Amino acid sequence: MVSQAQDSALYSTYARSELSFERGEGARLYTADNQEYLDFAGGVAVSSVGHGHPHIVSALKEQADKVWHVSNIYKIPGQEKLAQRFADVTFADKVFFANSGAEAMECAIKTARRYHFVNGAPERTRILTFEGAFHGRTLATLAAGGQEKYLEGFGPKAGGFDQVPFGDHEAMKAAITDETAAILIEPIQGEGGVNVVPHQCLRGLRELCDEHGILLVMDEVQTGVGRTGKLFAHEWAGITPDIMAIAKGIGAGFPIGACLATEKAASGMTAGTHGSTFGGNPLGMAVSNAVLDVVLAPGFLEEVQQKGLRIKQRLAELADTYPDQIESIRGEGLMLGLQLKADAFPNGVGPMVEAARKHHLLTVGAGNNVVRFLPPLTITLDEANAAIDRMDAAFADLKPAN
Ligand SMILES: *Cc1c(COP(=O)(O)O)cnc(C)c1O
């Protein structure tokens, strides 16, 4: 029974907007009364190929007519195919399919610990992460992120995770002990505020891991599948991880996560060590294979890079127009952020996200006073320009009269 004090039977965990959408087409969402919005939130980096992409829709429909779910008791051809495609285009040899980013991360954490367990170092269980990280909302991934605001009230923090200040290589070096199993990092922190880890730093972490015989684990749940203009963001630094979690964009709206690993790193994950009832079901695999068709098409990623650069230029112009409001522009490809000046926006990014919404532009707030842009990778330059014009109008609305 819903009490009269509330108007919904849902958990109150989300501070939702009043907006709701009935349908989507490419980079646009429409309300029931046909109001059009430009979707530069992309369902938080999920709608990688836009809404209603014909190739993805037909792949889903075709599979829906055949079989939806059989469980991992049986071979699933779509899984074999998708895993092999990842093996062909990434560092990975082995893939496990899950249903979300947090689950992909759980598999990554288990894989890293189990690697040391079967290789004669069972004491190596601790994982080092950077402050400001976000790895999901399960008990272990919350501990990995280490953010007090998310951990409060949920009982003992899962053990085995230590944080060092963002980008502090010396602190990371000093934190490694003979109990360290892995370093876990987002190549660009998403929720933390589009904080780009310098390529030099990623290369340094790779060296540090090699030196100490520990594993480098990438959380590319948000940065992966073309978001930054490379298939995976670590490619920009010219290094490879041992283990990587992905999700968001690979499902394009279908809940899918995956953990990718080298043969060596995955050596402990033998029969019975991990599992998922839904993970990698035929429907999801049909969708993800279709997403890869689009993202791996010749020239697609180069276009993402070019569109990202163009938007960055326009954001720089915006920063020139509003020097008292905008602190910095950050990000890579189509994972971009506009950092607002704290004194101009003492209440955080909420009012700016709201102002943009009034101009029918959807964005997402992030840490560090950052407004995030995560549009479909398929946006046109016209749509990108329209989005910046709307952002400009939103800034004009909030500019103090003088
Ligand atoms: C969104 C996100 C997660 C969690 O993904 P869910 O699908 O919400 O569980 C983990 N890591 C990063 C970097 C993310 O952006």
Side-chain angles (χ1 to χ4, degrees):
M1 207 160 67
V2 180
S3 82
Q4 288 180 335
Q6 54 194 52
D7 57 2
S8 167
L10 291 169
Y11 262 41
S12 309
T13 44
Y14 301 107
R16 294 178 199 269
S17 146
E18 286 301 316
L19 267 178
S20 108
F21 300 102
E22 190 179 63
R23 66 196 169 85
E25 205 181 300
R28 292 181 159 81
L29 282 169
Y30 299 86
T31 61
D33 58 355
N34 220 26
Q35 296 284 311
E36 175 228 274
Y37 284 77
L38 263 179
D39 186 7
F40 272 51
V44 196
V46 167
S47 306
S48 49
V49 293
H51 302 284
H53 191 292
H55 182 59
I56 316 296
V57 171
S58 74
L60 180 74
K61 283 182 172 168
E62 214 172 278
Q63 186 60 46
D65 281 333
K66 293 179 185 164
V67 65
W68 294 25
H69 178 83
V70 296
S71 89
N72 287 298
I73 293 172
Y74 311 102
K75 277 200 168 184
I76 296 174
Q79 277 189 27
E80 308 271 351
K81 179 177 171 189
L82 186 56
Q84 186 56 52
R85 293 176 81 184
F86 276 132
D88 289 343
V89 297
T90 72
F91 71 96
D93 309 301
K94 295 285 191 181
V95 185
F96 179 90
F97 290 108
N99 314 283
S100 66
E103 272 181 275
M105 272 308 313
E106 290 270 340
C107 180
I109 293 164
K110 288 177 76 174
T111 303
R113 288 181 173 167
R114 185 85 185 163
Y115 163 79
H116 292 292
F117 178 81
V118 299
N119 284 286
E123 71 285 359
R124 286 199 178 273
T125 57
R126 303 196 72 84
I127 294 175
L128 298 170
T129 65
F130 281 113
E131 285 169 9
F134 180 82
H135 299 295
R137 297 284 201 141
T138 61
L139 292 168
T141 55
L142 280 180
Q147 299 205 29
E148 281 307 322
K149 63 175 175 180
Y150 294 141
L151 284 158
E152 188 184 36
F154 295 114
K157 181 178 159 190
F161 298 94
D162 305 296
Q163 273 83 42
V164 305
F166 180 79
D168 189 337
H169 190 79
E170 287 310 311
M172 183 56 88
K173 211 165 162 177
I176 295 172
T177 69
D178 50 16
E179 289 183 15
T180 304
I183 293 173
L184 162 60
I185 187 170
E186 295 160 83
I188 302 176
Q189 289 186 343
E191 306 303 311
V194 194
N195 305 318
V196 180
V197 179
H199 300 164
Q200 193 54 39
C201 180
L202 287 179
R203 287 194 281 268
L205 291 176
R206 178 69 271 176
E207 279 169 24
L208 213 49
C209 286
D210 291 343
E211 227 171 273
H212 292 270
I214 60 182
L215 300 174
L216 183 60
V217 183
M218 293 273 175
D219 180 346
E220 293 232 25
V221 168
Q222 191 161 151
T223 52
V225 198
R227 178 53 56 190
T228 68
K230 294 272 187 196
L231 187 58
F232 293 105
H234 66 259
E235 294 170 27
W236 286 111
I239 53 134
T240 57
D242 301 293
I243 301 172
M244 174 171 74
I246 69 170
K248 294 199 165 102
I250 188 60
F254 199 98
I256 290 165
C259 179
L260 284 66
T262 62
E263 176 123 51
K264 189 175 162 204
S267 58
M269 301 306 279
T270 49
T273 53
H274 197 43
S276 166
T277 300
F278 294 127
N281 88 7
L283 276 184
M285 293 300 100
V287 170
S288 289
N289 271 303
V291 170
L292 269 198
D293 293 341
V294 175
V295 174
L296 293 178
F300 184 88
L301 292 170
E302 287 72 16
E303 264 183 49
V304 170
Q305 292 173 20
Q306 283 156 17
K307 289 183 283 196
L309 281 176
R310 181 67 194 128
I311 297 178
K312 242 182 168 174
Q313 282 168 355
R314 294 261 354 241
L315 289 175
E317 290 165 22
L318 207 59
D320 288 342
T321 313
Y322 301 100
D324 299 331
Q325 280 75 34
I326 298 173
E327 177 74 39
S328 70
I329 292 150
R330 29 184 68 215
E332 191 102 67
L334 290 173
M335 179 173 182
L336 295 169
L338 203 55
Q339 186 181 33
L340 305 179
K341 288 212 156 136
D343 50 358
F345 294 90
N347 301 318
V349 290
M352 196 67 234
V353 170
E354 186 58 39
R357 228 179 247 153
K358 285 204 182 103
H359 290 278
H360 288 208
L361 172 66
L362 306 175
T363 61
V364 206
N368 268 339
N369 250 12
V370 167
V371 179
R372 251 183 308 174
F373 304 100
L374 301 161
L377 307 180
T378 49
I379 49 160
T380 64
L381 270 182
D382 281 350
E383 287 163 340
N385 282 321
I388 307 296
D389 291 344
R390 292 179 193 192
M391 204 64 214
D392 192 344
F395 270 103
D397 284 356
L398 294 191
K399 196 174 174 185
N402 46 22

